[in-house]
Each structure stands twice: as C-alpha cells, then as structure tokens.
Amino acid sequence: MEKRVSMKDVANKVGVSIALVSYVMNGLEKEKRVSVKVAKKIREAAAKLNYQPNQIARSLRKGSTNTIGLIVADIANPFFSQLARIIEHEAINFGFTVVFGSSDEDEFKSESLINTFLNRHVDGFIIVPTEGTNIQIQSLMRKNIPLVLIDRFFPEIKTSYIILDNYKATFSATSHLIEKGYKRIAMVAYKSSLIHMKERIRGYTEALDKFNMADNTCVKEVKFEKVQKDMEKILNNLLTKNKKIDSIILATNTLSISALYCLRKNNITIPNDLGFIGFDGGECFDLFSPRLTHVKQPLEEMGKEAFRVILDLINGSNKTSQIMLNSSLVICSSC
Amino acid sequence: MEKRVSMKDVANKVGVSIALVSYVMNGLEKEKRVSVKVAKKIREAAAKLNYQPNQIARSLRKGSTNTIGLIVADIANPFFSQLARIIEHEAINFGFTVVFGSSDEDEFKSESLINTFLNRHVDGFIIVPTEGTNIQIQSLMRKNIPLVLIDRFFPEIKTSYIILDNYKATFSATSHLIEKGYKRIAMVAYKSSLIHMKERIRGYTEALDKFNMADNTCVKEVKFEKVQKDMEKILNNLLTKNKKIDSIILATNTLSISALYCLRKNNITIPNDLGFIGFDGGECFDLFSPRLTHVKQPLEEMGKEAFRVILDLINGSNKTSQIMLNSSLVICSSC
DNA sequence: CTGAAAGCGCTTACAG
DNA sequence: CTGAAAGCGCTTACAG
C-alpha cells in the first residue's frame, strides 16, 4: 500500500519549510515572492512524489470545502437527474464537487439531508424544497449559508431561486387545447401547497376563465404517496361520468407517465378519445404514438443559472437572485 | 449569523474537558466510564447549544470521511440514475454520503473524478469503469482503496464487482427471437473493448450458433460519440439491402432509444416490419406501442450488493466479491 | 472517572 | 525571500 505523501514530505525532500510548499502548491509564489529556483525545486519534488493535496485538511483550515449539496425530490426522476447532470458539469468546471440526496418529498428526510450536508460543511445548497421545509430553509438563511432554491420556492421567504414561469406554462397549454376546439379540459396535479403546483393550476383555471369556460374547470389532485391509485380512480371517473372530459393536462412528468399507463390500460386512445398535454417529457413523450404535445422546461438554463447563482453567493455576494424562466410548448400530435 | 458551536463551547458550558464531550458525543461514555451525571449534563448542554459535530475535523483526525464516491457514465441516463438512487438510499441508512460524477465514457474525465474524490478522501469507490481506465483502477487497488466495479469490470484485474450475466442476457433474448421464428436477427452494440459489451455480443452470436444460424450473424457497432448518426446509417443499411433483417436486438438502453427514433423516422413498424428486443427499458419501453420486449436488469439488487460490498471493504474485509446477477427477459409484444 | 496534550495536514499572519 | 508557529475542531493514547 502506497502511503499518501504530504506537504511535509515534499518540504523535507527539498529541504525547505512547509509554508513554502504551501505557497507554491497554491500558486502564490509570485505574491509571496518565493524564489524562482526554490519554486521550481518544490514543483519538481511534488511531481516526483506525486503529491496530492489533502482537501480535508485544507477544508478544515479554510472553513470551505468546495462542495455543494444538491437536494432533489428524487434523483431517479429524469427531470432531476438531468438537472443534476448539468449542475455537476458546471460544478466540476469550477472546481466544485457535488454531494446529492433525494428528499422523496418528505420533510424529515429533507431535514436529515440538510443536517448531514451542514455537518460536512458544504459551501452552499441547491435545493428542490419540499412541502413543510420552510423552517429548514429559514434556518439556513439565518445561518447565512449560501442557498438557491430550484423548481419551487416559498413566496414568504426571501431566498434566491430559479423556477419556471409555471403560470404561463399551463396557461399557454390550456389555451392551446381551447384553440384546438376542446371544451372539457381537465387538469391533474399533485395535492400540494407548494407554489409551483398552485401556479400550474392557476394557469389552467385562468386560461379557462379568459375563454369564458370557467364552468368547465376541473382540477383533480393526486397524493404523492399513491399516484397510480389516485390517477386510476380520477381518470375512470372523468372518462365515464355524464360530463365526460375531452382532454387533459398533466402537471408534472411523473403524473404524465402515470396517466399514460392508465389510459393505455383502459384502451383510451390519444388523441381520438382524449386530447393530451404532458409536462417535461423527454424521450418517453417523443417515442409515444402519437408524439405527445408537452410543456418543455429549459433544463440547461435552469441548472446553469442555479450554479451561477450559488457560486456568486459562495463568493460573498449578498444579492438575492430570483429568476423565472419560460417553458416552451412542444406541439406534437396528441391534441 | 449564528456562530457554529464546537465541542469547546459545550465543554466550557459544562466546565469539563473537551475529551469528555467527545466521549459522550460518540456514545463512549460507558466504555470510557464517564460518570452518568456528567454525561447527562454534557448531553443537555449539547442539545441546548444545538451542537453539531464538525465532520471535516472528525474526518481529518480519523482518516475516514463516511463518504463514498460514485462514478457512473452519465447520471442523466436512467439506468445510472436509478442505480444512484438505490445506492444513495443504502448509503444514508449506513450514515454515508455519496459524491457523484459522470465520466461520459471518457478516461480523462474518469481520472480527474477519481483524483478529486481521492483528495477528498472518500472511504471507497463505486465505479462504472470506462474503456482505458484499467490503469486508474489498478492504481486504486495498489493504494488499497476500497473499490467495487459495477456494470462492467476488467477480467485482468482482481477487483470486486457486481455485474449482469451479460452473456446469458443476450443469449436468451436471441433464443427468444429464434423461437419466435425470426431468421435474420441483427444486434447493434457499442464499439467497445469492455467486457460487458463483448459478452452481450457473445451471447448473441453463440445463440445463433447453437441454432445453426451462424451464417446470419450480423453485429453492428456504433461509436459512443455519434450514436444517432451511426444508428441511422446502420439501420438504413440493414433494412434496405438484399438480405434484409427481420429483427433486431439492442445492447443498451441508449441504443434501444436511438433505434426507436430511427425506426419511427423511417416508418418501420414494430413488430410487423421488424422484431425488436431492447435493453433495460423502463417507462419508455412500457409505454411504447406495442410494448417492447426487453432485457431487464436487477437494479435494486445490483445497487444494494454494490453498497454491501463496498461497506464490507471499508470495514476492513479483504475479500474480493465478484457477483454476477441474472437479468430477466420481459416478454411483451414487439416480437 | 477526568484532563492535558499530541496530532491529523493544511493555511496564514508574523518576524526576520 | 524564508521559517517557526498557531490554529481549524476533532480523537485518542496516556497519566493520574
């Protein structure tokens, strides 16, 4: 087993103090006026011994870890894993490492993840906040920990965040259905007090309102813990009762997929039996027959902005950045 | 801004030494025979001050970080993100944190990730190794760093690994097609020297061989950097030339998806024009019409075993665990 | 039962 | 231009 070499080893080899090695390793030789000759020797010795800095020691001393904590609802959800990929990429480019965790929309898991990451002294957090985590977020704010929320936020807490203009997203999706001649448009969303869900629902209801179709407003909510079951019940209901719906908008990608399963199971064909608009779809939506019209989120921008903002905060900025991005409606053949 | 409280603060408050606080915080009060009274006082003070241990300091002192480094090819690929989810879950249960990175099948990115994680003193690695990383893996072995490979491995290096029985997987997929009466079965795989790809190809060729159809062996390889382009060329070729193929097996999920895009684009219908078997599909495969027959990997088991093995190694075991799991062929309606 | 002290591997004022 | 030393917040032999 090879032993790790420390600055001391390099210093001993060259016959200088540890301080000099530290200066050179950190590229401070100019600033600290280390002689060119010694600097060269140190660099050579370091290379020869294959010296690698111990980031743990560095972190303890400097109080910063060059690590960011990423908490999403579920890393296995393509929406979040794609986001994670983008954030990871940015992080690496700036010399940061990402630790991640999935909250499962559970406030206690969220709390535990935040504490774990705090104890490991991440320099900042990128969090997809879950219902009931307001206090946790406020506590981070009080501790002055760099923080940016993503996908969702709390209107009553003044944090930085990057979100979608959810209102616009569903407003335009709904309008699209109306323009296509659909009359009885339903929306299925998650039962949640979180703003992104509320806004998606508001976009839908206000679009109906605008076209004087408020009477046909039909919002159904499923519980996060039993999506499939709730969805089946709801769809069975909506598709069989007197005032049958003629089209549907789903408020998230998981809901979209769940709905597709149900529809297929019940032999409901799209768009003949039912018009359909999904939410941030990806490959599944493209490969479905017919191709599914869906709301597309600007993932790349979202991830990049989130990292840019957190880096800014880590570097001492005290500016609160609240950024709202626009989705696009990808029009295919499902309505 | 709240200041972080350290053991010293707790010690001062109670009027004891830091050592005692450390013992109590680590639950060593029995072992170190701390008086019940003092232990209680310390616990109370710690709770009151909301003391949180500084894991960085702990890590520096103990030489272990309770962190594992997870390197996959691409965290945005559902196969890997689902695996990540399972590993994360296990990790948390055992008090570990996961740092992750995507190698993009690039040996230099892999090297850089490994070094980054080494400098951060992860306790162990779970790695999906990329072509050309043999040396990196060997170097980790030499340093005696706990390591488990996953999805792929290097036959010439004696590491622990958890992999699929790739040979069996495609052997049975191919046999299934043959039994269904298909005569001209093609396989599209990645161009790679890695064992998992070789084995998937071998499973295919040996199945043909067994049924005396070796003459119809047709393996095409696409480059990782230009999947879509290569795939189109290959499929155009296979579907138009004299000896047209009647069915196809794809060697990974990304290849499967890529093929589906191409087929759709060229109006090839499954299974009428072409029999189809995909690899670890997930939702896309289920929702496709017709439902796609595919090789299903035991993700849960793979992730859990990987963590179990790495934990074992971290805890000092020097046993090399080489585990091969079985896939199942999910038979649907695409062939 | 308890405390003083060394040390993990760095960074960084300070002195010369 | 260079070095000695303090200190980041812990853990852990050691002494009493």
PDB file of all heavy atoms in Angstrom, chain C residues 5-16:
ATOM      1  P    DA C   5      -0.732  20.334  29.225  1.00  0.00           P
ATOM      2  OP1  DA C   5       0.643  20.488  29.747  1.00  0.00           O
ATOM      3  OP2  DA C   5      -1.504  21.518  28.803  1.00  0.00           O
ATOM      4  O5'  DA C   5      -0.696  19.290  28.022  1.00  0.00           O
ATOM      5  C5'  DA C   5      -0.163  17.976  28.247  1.00  0.00           C
ATOM      6  C4'  DA C   5      -0.006  17.275  26.922  1.00  0.00           C
ATOM      7  O4'  DA C   5      -1.278  16.687  26.534  1.00  0.00           O
ATOM      8  C3'  DA C   5       0.395  18.199  25.769  1.00  0.00           C
ATOM      9  O3'  DA C   5       1.206  17.448  24.889  1.00  0.00           O
ATOM     10  C2'  DA C   5      -0.932  18.531  25.120  1.00  0.00           C
ATOM     11  C1'  DA C   5      -1.622  17.170  25.243  1.00  0.00           C
ATOM     12  N9   DA C   5      -3.073  17.191  25.139  1.00  0.00           N
ATOM     13  C8   DA C   5      -3.935  18.214  25.427  1.00  0.00           C
ATOM     14  N7   DA C   5      -5.201  17.909  25.218  1.00  0.00           N
ATOM     15  C5   DA C   5      -5.159  16.600  24.760  1.00  0.00           C
ATOM     16  C6   DA C   5      -6.164  15.707  24.360  1.00  0.00           C
ATOM     17  N6   DA C   5      -7.461  16.001  24.370  1.00  0.00           N
ATOM     18  N1   DA C   5      -5.780  14.467  23.967  1.00  0.00           N
ATOM     19  C2   DA C   5      -4.466  14.166  23.962  1.00  0.00           C
ATOM     20  N3   DA C   5      -3.429  14.935  24.315  1.00  0.00           N
ATOM     21  C4   DA C   5      -3.853  16.143  24.705  1.00  0.00           C
ATOM     22  P    DA C   6       2.159  18.177  23.869  1.00  0.00           P
ATOM     23  OP1  DA C   6       3.477  18.331  24.510  1.00  0.00           O
ATOM     24  OP2  DA C   6       1.476  19.355  23.301  1.00  0.00           O
ATOM     25  O5'  DA C   6       2.275  17.054  22.744  1.00  0.00           O
ATOM     26  C5'  DA C   6       2.152  15.683  23.111  1.00  0.00           C
ATOM     27  C4'  DA C   6       1.544  14.917  21.957  1.00  0.00           C
ATOM     28  O4'  DA C   6       0.103  15.029  21.995  1.00  0.00           O
ATOM     29  C3'  DA C   6       1.984  15.433  20.580  1.00  0.00           C
ATOM     30  O3'  DA C   6       2.258  14.315  19.756  1.00  0.00           O
ATOM     31  C2'  DA C   6       0.787  16.228  20.098  1.00  0.00           C
ATOM     32  C1'  DA C   6      -0.368  15.455  20.732  1.00  0.00           C
ATOM     33  N9   DA C   6      -1.594  16.203  20.966  1.00  0.00           N
ATOM     34  C8   DA C   6      -1.747  17.496  21.392  1.00  0.00           C
ATOM     35  N7   DA C   6      -3.004  17.875  21.537  1.00  0.00           N
ATOM     36  C5   DA C   6      -3.723  16.749  21.174  1.00  0.00           C
ATOM     37  C6   DA C   6      -5.107  16.495  21.111  1.00  0.00           C
ATOM     38  N6   DA C   6      -6.038  17.396  21.425  1.00  0.00           N
ATOM     39  N1   DA C   6      -5.492  15.268  20.711  1.00  0.00           N
ATOM     40  C2   DA C   6      -4.555  14.355  20.384  1.00  0.00           C
ATOM     41  N3   DA C   6      -3.218  14.478  20.404  1.00  0.00           N
ATOM     42  C4   DA C   6      -2.873  15.715  20.814  1.00  0.00           C
ATOM     43  P    DG C   7       3.055  14.531  18.397  1.00  0.00           P
ATOM     44  OP1  DG C   7       3.982  13.404  18.253  1.00  0.00           O
ATOM     45  OP2  DG C   7       3.529  15.929  18.332  1.00  0.00           O
ATOM     46  O5'  DG C   7       1.889  14.362  17.333  1.00  0.00           O
ATOM     47  C5'  DG C   7       0.981  13.262  17.447  1.00  0.00           C
ATOM     48  C4'  DG C   7      -0.122  13.481  16.463  1.00  0.00           C
ATOM     49  O4'  DG C   7      -1.137  14.325  17.086  1.00  0.00           O
ATOM     50  C3'  DG C   7       0.332  14.233  15.201  1.00  0.00           C
ATOM     51  O3'  DG C   7      -0.212  13.581  14.072  1.00  0.00           O
ATOM     52  C2'  DG C   7      -0.249  15.619  15.376  1.00  0.00           C
ATOM     53  C1'  DG C   7      -1.528  15.302  16.149  1.00  0.00           C
ATOM     54  N9   DG C   7      -2.113  16.401  16.878  1.00  0.00           N
ATOM     55  C8   DG C   7      -1.485  17.477  17.461  1.00  0.00           C
ATOM     56  N7   DG C   7      -2.325  18.306  18.026  1.00  0.00           N
ATOM     57  C5   DG C   7      -3.582  17.746  17.797  1.00  0.00           C
ATOM     58  C6   DG C   7      -4.874  18.180  18.161  1.00  0.00           C
ATOM     59  O6   DG C   7      -5.176  19.204  18.788  1.00  0.00           O
ATOM     60  N1   DG C   7      -5.864  17.305  17.724  1.00  0.00           N
ATOM     61  C2   DG C   7      -5.629  16.159  17.023  1.00  0.00           C
ATOM     62  N2   DG C   7      -6.696  15.439  16.683  1.00  0.00           N
ATOM     63  N3   DG C   7      -4.418  15.726  16.668  1.00  0.00           N
ATOM     64  C4   DG C   7      -3.459  16.566  17.086  1.00  0.00           C
ATOM     65  P    DC C   8       0.502  13.694  12.675  1.00  0.00           P
ATOM     66  OP1  DC C   8       1.513  12.637  12.541  1.00  0.00           O
ATOM     67  OP2  DC C   8       0.892  15.101  12.489  1.00  0.00           O
ATOM     68  O5'  DC C   8      -0.670  13.380  11.653  1.00  0.00           O
ATOM     69  C5'  DC C   8      -1.706  12.452  11.910  1.00  0.00           C
ATOM     70  C4'  DC C   8      -2.968  12.959  11.266  1.00  0.00           C
ATOM     71  O4'  DC C   8      -3.695  13.735  12.230  1.00  0.00           O
ATOM     72  C3'  DC C   8      -2.712  13.914  10.108  1.00  0.00           C
ATOM     73  O3'  DC C   8      -2.664  13.161   8.892  1.00  0.00           O
ATOM     74  C2'  DC C   8      -3.924  14.852  10.146  1.00  0.00           C
ATOM     75  C1'  DC C   8      -4.450  14.730  11.579  1.00  0.00           C
ATOM     76  N1   DC C   8      -4.353  15.941  12.438  1.00  0.00           N
ATOM     77  C2   DC C   8      -5.493  16.414  13.095  1.00  0.00           C
ATOM     78  O2   DC C   8      -6.557  15.826  12.923  1.00  0.00           O
ATOM     79  N3   DC C   8      -5.397  17.504  13.893  1.00  0.00           N
ATOM     80  C4   DC C   8      -4.210  18.109  14.048  1.00  0.00           C
ATOM     81  N4   DC C   8      -4.172  19.165  14.853  1.00  0.00           N
ATOM     82  C5   DC C   8      -3.038  17.634  13.394  1.00  0.00           C
ATOM     83  C6   DC C   8      -3.150  16.566  12.599  1.00  0.00           C
ATOM     84  P    DG C   9      -1.346  13.259   7.944  1.00  0.00           P
ATOM     85  OP1  DG C   9      -1.445  12.135   6.997  1.00  0.00           O
ATOM     86  OP2  DG C   9      -0.134  13.437   8.765  1.00  0.00           O
ATOM     87  O5'  DG C   9      -1.587  14.617   7.170  1.00  0.00           O
ATOM     88  C5'  DG C   9      -2.766  14.737   6.389  1.00  0.00           C
ATOM     89  C4'  DG C   9      -2.924  16.182   6.008  1.00  0.00           C
ATOM     90  O4'  DG C   9      -3.169  16.969   7.196  1.00  0.00           O
ATOM     91  C3'  DG C   9      -1.715  16.808   5.333  1.00  0.00           C
ATOM     92  O3'  DG C   9      -2.174  17.502   4.199  1.00  0.00           O
ATOM     93  C2'  DG C   9      -1.153  17.755   6.382  1.00  0.00           C
ATOM     94  C1'  DG C   9      -2.429  18.162   7.094  1.00  0.00           C
ATOM     95  N9   DG C   9      -2.243  18.672   8.441  1.00  0.00           N
ATOM     96  C8   DG C   9      -1.264  18.342   9.334  1.00  0.00           C
ATOM     97  N7   DG C   9      -1.360  18.975  10.479  1.00  0.00           N
ATOM     98  C5   DG C   9      -2.488  19.771  10.335  1.00  0.00           C
ATOM     99  C6   DG C   9      -3.088  20.680  11.229  1.00  0.00           C
ATOM    100  O6   DG C   9      -2.735  20.964  12.382  1.00  0.00           O
ATOM    101  N1   DG C   9      -4.209  21.284  10.694  1.00  0.00           N
ATOM    102  C2   DG C   9      -4.698  21.034   9.428  1.00  0.00           C
ATOM    103  N2   DG C   9      -5.797  21.695   9.066  1.00  0.00           N
ATOM    104  N3   DG C   9      -4.139  20.188   8.557  1.00  0.00           N
ATOM    105  C4   DG C   9      -3.045  19.587   9.080  1.00  0.00           C
ATOM    106  P    DC C  10      -1.259  18.063   3.071  1.00  0.00           P
ATOM    107  OP1  DC C  10      -1.249  17.140   1.959  1.00  0.00           O
ATOM    108  OP2  DC C  10       0.015  18.503   3.679  1.00  0.00           O
ATOM    109  O5'  DC C  10      -2.143  19.310   2.653  1.00  0.00           O
ATOM    110  C5'  DC C  10      -1.716  20.615   2.945  1.00  0.00           C
ATOM    111  C4'  DC C  10      -2.822  21.345   3.672  1.00  0.00           C
ATOM    112  O4'  DC C  10      -2.744  20.993   5.057  1.00  0.00           O
ATOM    113  C3'  DC C  10      -2.645  22.839   3.613  1.00  0.00           C
ATOM    114  O3'  DC C  10      -3.421  23.331   2.530  1.00  0.00           O
ATOM    115  C2'  DC C  10      -3.164  23.326   4.945  1.00  0.00           C
ATOM    116  C1'  DC C  10      -3.095  22.111   5.855  1.00  0.00           C
ATOM    117  N1   DC C  10      -2.103  22.206   6.960  1.00  0.00           N
ATOM    118  C2   DC C  10      -2.393  23.014   8.050  1.00  0.00           C
ATOM    119  O2   DC C  10      -3.432  23.677   8.044  1.00  0.00           O
ATOM    120  N3   DC C  10      -1.516  23.078   9.080  1.00  0.00           N
ATOM    121  C4   DC C  10      -0.405  22.346   9.051  1.00  0.00           C
ATOM    122  N4   DC C  10       0.421  22.421  10.096  1.00  0.00           N
ATOM    123  C5   DC C  10      -0.085  21.506   7.948  1.00  0.00           C
ATOM    124  C6   DC C  10      -0.947  21.469   6.932  1.00  0.00           C
ATOM    125  P    DT C  11      -3.008  24.664   1.841  1.00  0.00           P
ATOM    126  OP1  DT C  11      -3.936  24.853   0.714  1.00  0.00           O
ATOM    127  OP2  DT C  11      -1.548  24.663   1.639  1.00  0.00           O
ATOM    128  O5'  DT C  11      -3.337  25.749   2.964  1.00  0.00           O
ATOM    129  C5'  DT C  11      -4.687  26.067   3.243  1.00  0.00           C
ATOM    130  C4'  DT C  11      -4.721  27.213   4.218  1.00  0.00           C
ATOM    131  O4'  DT C  11      -3.932  26.882   5.397  1.00  0.00           O
ATOM    132  C3'  DT C  11      -4.148  28.522   3.680  1.00  0.00           C
ATOM    133  O3'  DT C  11      -5.008  29.543   4.159  1.00  0.00           O
ATOM    134  C2'  DT C  11      -2.756  28.590   4.303  1.00  0.00           C
ATOM    135  C1'  DT C  11      -3.002  27.919   5.651  1.00  0.00           C
ATOM    136  N1   DT C  11      -1.849  27.255   6.315  1.00  0.00           N
ATOM    137  C2   DT C  11      -1.622  27.526   7.646  1.00  0.00           C
ATOM    138  O2   DT C  11      -2.296  28.308   8.285  1.00  0.00           O
ATOM    139  N3   DT C  11      -0.563  26.841   8.205  1.00  0.00           N
ATOM    140  C4   DT C  11       0.254  25.935   7.576  1.00  0.00           C
ATOM    141  O4   DT C  11       1.159  25.389   8.199  1.00  0.00           O
ATOM    142  C5   DT C  11      -0.029  25.691   6.181  1.00  0.00           C
ATOM    143  C7   DT C  11       0.813  24.735   5.417  1.00  0.00           C
ATOM    144  C6   DT C  11      -1.054  26.355   5.623  1.00  0.00           C
ATOM    145  P    DT C  12      -5.049  30.944   3.481  1.00  0.00           P
ATOM    146  OP1  DT C  12      -6.481  31.265   3.358  1.00  0.00           O
ATOM    147  OP2  DT C  12      -4.168  30.972   2.315  1.00  0.00           O
ATOM    148  O5'  DT C  12      -4.433  31.884   4.595  1.00  0.00           O
ATOM    149  C5'  DT C  12      -4.769  31.660   5.955  1.00  0.00           C
ATOM    150  C4'  DT C  12      -3.807  32.418   6.837  1.00  0.00           C
ATOM    151  O4'  DT C  12      -2.731  31.538   7.249  1.00  0.00           O
ATOM    152  C3'  DT C  12      -3.124  33.604   6.148  1.00  0.00           C
ATOM    153  O3'  DT C  12      -3.028  34.654   7.096  1.00  0.00           O
ATOM    154  C2'  DT C  12      -1.750  33.078   5.819  1.00  0.00           C
ATOM    155  C1'  DT C  12      -1.512  32.213   7.051  1.00  0.00           C
ATOM    156  N1   DT C  12      -0.467  31.181   6.940  1.00  0.00           N
ATOM    157  C2   DT C  12       0.151  30.765   8.091  1.00  0.00           C
ATOM    158  O2   DT C  12      -0.119  31.214   9.190  1.00  0.00           O
ATOM    159  N3   DT C  12       1.103  29.801   7.916  1.00  0.00           N
ATOM    160  C4   DT C  12       1.495  29.227   6.715  1.00  0.00           C
ATOM    161  O4   DT C  12       2.365  28.370   6.678  1.00  0.00           O
ATOM    162  C5   DT C  12       0.801  29.707   5.540  1.00  0.00           C
ATOM    163  C7   DT C  12       1.147  29.158   4.187  1.00  0.00           C
ATOM    164  C6   DT C  12      -0.137  30.652   5.709  1.00  0.00           C
ATOM    165  P    DA C  13      -3.602  36.072   6.698  1.00  0.00           P
ATOM    166  OP1  DA C  13      -4.859  36.189   7.463  1.00  0.00           O
ATOM    167  OP2  DA C  13      -3.575  36.210   5.244  1.00  0.00           O
ATOM    168  O5'  DA C  13      -2.570  37.112   7.319  1.00  0.00           O
ATOM    169  C5'  DA C  13      -2.982  37.807   8.443  1.00  0.00           C
ATOM    170  C4'  DA C  13      -2.223  37.316   9.667  1.00  0.00           C
ATOM    171  O4'  DA C  13      -1.572  36.073   9.376  1.00  0.00           O
ATOM    172  C3'  DA C  13      -1.130  38.295  10.107  1.00  0.00           C
ATOM    173  O3'  DA C  13      -1.268  38.556  11.489  1.00  0.00           O
ATOM    174  C2'  DA C  13       0.171  37.594   9.776  1.00  0.00           C
ATOM    175  C1'  DA C  13      -0.233  36.124   9.800  1.00  0.00           C
ATOM    176  N9   DA C  13       0.548  35.309   8.880  1.00  0.00           N
ATOM    177  C8   DA C  13       0.485  35.281   7.507  1.00  0.00           C
ATOM    178  N7   DA C  13       1.309  34.418   6.957  1.00  0.00           N
ATOM    179  C5   DA C  13       1.961  33.845   8.037  1.00  0.00           C
ATOM    180  C6   DA C  13       2.958  32.865   8.123  1.00  0.00           C
ATOM    181  N6   DA C  13       3.486  32.257   7.061  1.00  0.00           N
ATOM    182  N1   DA C  13       3.376  32.537   9.355  1.00  0.00           N
ATOM    183  C2   DA C  13       2.837  33.135  10.425  1.00  0.00           C
ATOM    184  N3   DA C  13       1.887  34.072  10.468  1.00  0.00           N
ATOM    185  C4   DA C  13       1.494  34.387   9.234  1.00  0.00           C
ATOM    186  P    DC C  14      -0.579  39.900  12.014  1.00  0.00           P
ATOM    187  OP1  DC C  14      -1.255  40.266  13.282  1.00  0.00           O
ATOM    188  OP2  DC C  14      -0.497  40.857  10.896  1.00  0.00           O
ATOM    189  O5'  DC C  14       0.905  39.412  12.339  1.00  0.00           O
ATOM    190  C5'  DC C  14       1.094  38.312  13.220  1.00  0.00           C
ATOM    191  C4'  DC C  14       2.559  37.957  13.226  1.00  0.00           C
ATOM    192  O4'  DC C  14       2.849  37.101  12.099  1.00  0.00           O
ATOM    193  C3'  DC C  14       3.501  39.165  13.097  1.00  0.00           C
ATOM    194  O3'  DC C  14       4.290  39.272  14.262  1.00  0.00           O
ATOM    195  C2'  DC C  14       4.315  38.880  11.842  1.00  0.00           C
ATOM    196  C1'  DC C  14       4.169  37.372  11.699  1.00  0.00           C
ATOM    197  N1   DC C  14       4.326  36.863  10.317  1.00  0.00           N
ATOM    198  C2   DC C  14       5.205  35.791  10.092  1.00  0.00           C
ATOM    199  O2   DC C  14       5.813  35.297  11.050  1.00  0.00           O
ATOM    200  N3   DC C  14       5.361  35.317   8.829  1.00  0.00           N
ATOM    201  C4   DC C  14       4.677  35.875   7.823  1.00  0.00           C
ATOM    202  N4   DC C  14       4.858  35.365   6.601  1.00  0.00           N
ATOM    203  C5   DC C  14       3.776  36.954   8.025  1.00  0.00           C
ATOM    204  C6   DC C  14       3.635  37.421   9.281  1.00  0.00           C
ATOM    205  P    DA C  15       5.230  40.547  14.459  1.00  0.00           P
ATOM    206  OP1  DA C  15       4.925  41.109  15.786  1.00  0.00           O
ATOM    207  OP2  DA C  15       5.184  41.390  13.248  1.00  0.00           O
ATOM    208  O5'  DA C  15       6.654  39.864  14.524  1.00  0.00           O
ATOM    209  C5'  DA C  15       6.769  38.473  14.851  1.00  0.00           C
ATOM    210  C4'  DA C  15       8.122  37.983  14.398  1.00  0.00           C
ATOM    211  O4'  DA C  15       8.012  37.457  13.044  1.00  0.00           O
ATOM    212  C3'  DA C  15       9.203  39.067  14.355  1.00  0.00           C
ATOM    213  O3'  DA C  15      10.403  38.525  14.891  1.00  0.00           O
ATOM    214  C2'  DA C  15       9.334  39.395  12.876  1.00  0.00           C
ATOM    215  C1'  DA C  15       9.025  38.044  12.240  1.00  0.00           C
ATOM    216  N9   DA C  15       8.498  38.109  10.875  1.00  0.00           N
ATOM    217  C8   DA C  15       7.583  38.999  10.364  1.00  0.00           C
ATOM    218  N7   DA C  15       7.309  38.806   9.088  1.00  0.00           N
ATOM    219  C5   DA C  15       8.096  37.711   8.747  1.00  0.00           C
ATOM    220  C6   DA C  15       8.265  37.012   7.538  1.00  0.00           C
ATOM    221  N6   DA C  15       7.615  37.314   6.407  1.00  0.00           N
ATOM    222  N1   DA C  15       9.129  35.970   7.534  1.00  0.00           N
ATOM    223  C2   DA C  15       9.778  35.660   8.660  1.00  0.00           C
ATOM    224  N3   DA C  15       9.703  36.248   9.860  1.00  0.00           N
ATOM    225  C4   DA C  15       8.829  37.277   9.825  1.00  0.00           C
ATOM    226  P    DG C  16      11.663  39.471  15.117  1.00  0.00           P
ATOM    227  OP1  DG C  16      12.303  39.009  16.372  1.00  0.00           O
ATOM    228  OP2  DG C  16      11.274  40.871  14.946  1.00  0.00           O
ATOM    229  O5'  DG C  16      12.619  39.063  13.921  1.00  0.00           O
ATOM    230  C5'  DG C  16      13.014  37.694  13.768  1.00  0.00           C
ATOM    231  C4'  DG C  16      13.679  37.567  12.427  1.00  0.00           C
ATOM    232  O4'  DG C  16      12.685  37.704  11.391  1.00  0.00           O
ATOM    233  C3'  DG C  16      14.727  38.653  12.156  1.00  0.00           C
ATOM    234  O3'  DG C  16      15.970  38.053  11.899  1.00  0.00           O
ATOM    235  C2'  DG C  16      14.214  39.383  10.935  1.00  0.00           C
ATOM    236  C1'  DG C  16      13.318  38.336  10.298  1.00  0.00           C
ATOM    237  N9   DG C  16      12.319  38.855   9.379  1.00  0.00           N
ATOM    238  C8   DG C  16      11.413  39.867   9.586  1.00  0.00           C
ATOM    239  N7   DG C  16      10.663  40.116   8.548  1.00  0.00           N
ATOM    240  C5   DG C  16      11.106  39.206   7.588  1.00  0.00           C
ATOM    241  C6   DG C  16      10.672  39.001   6.255  1.00  0.00           C
ATOM    242  O6   DG C  16       9.791  39.590   5.641  1.00  0.00           O
ATOM    243  N1   DG C  16      11.393  37.976   5.651  1.00  0.00           N
ATOM    244  C2   DG C  16      12.392  37.243   6.234  1.00  0.00           C
ATOM    245  N2   DG C  16      12.966  36.309   5.500  1.00  0.00           N
ATOM    246  N3   DG C  16      12.811  37.433   7.470  1.00  0.00           N
ATOM    247  C4   DG C  16      12.114  38.425   8.090  1.00  0.00           C
TER     248       DG C  16
END
